[in-house]
């Protein structure tokens, strides 16, 4: 009989428990060093620097989460769509 931990891969951390650095790392683990995504993240971070959401969290987390939801939950592989998600509020 297999233990549950042996039969199923561990779940990745919930997106809402990651800070900006964790979200960026998780995104870059998928896209690698793609220049378009790197530039999109840099521009988005610059534009939203210091901004917060209504609940007080840094705004930059929102576009990173949207991009990761597209990839992880919807299976989107197109890096142009990932960039669009990152830049959707710029």
């Amino acid at each position: 009989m297999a233990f549950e931990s042996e039969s199923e891969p561990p779940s990745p951390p919930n997106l809402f428990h990651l800070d900006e650095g964790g979200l960026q790392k998780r995104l870059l683990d998928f896209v690698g060093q793609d220049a378009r995504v790197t530039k999109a993240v840099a521009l988005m971070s610059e534009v939203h620097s210091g901004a917060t959401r209504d609940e007080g969290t840094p705004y930059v987390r929102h576009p990173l989460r949207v991009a990761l939801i597209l990839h992880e939950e919807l299976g989107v592989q197109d890096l142009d769509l990932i960039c669009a998600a990152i830049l959707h509020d710029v």
Side-chain angles (χ1 to χ4, degrees), residues 24-59:
Q24 283 188 27
K25 181 188 178 316
R26 194 147 149 190
L27 181 63
L28 293 177
D29 285 347
F30 155 59
V31 301
Q33 295 301 314
D34 184 83
R36 296 169 297 172
V37 176
T38 302
K39 288 179 183 178
V41 169
L43 176 61
M44 178 275 300
S45 296
E46 181 181 332
V47 169
H48 296 304
S49 176
T52 57
R53 293 181 56 89
D54 291 341
E55 73 276 3
T57 60
Y59 191 83

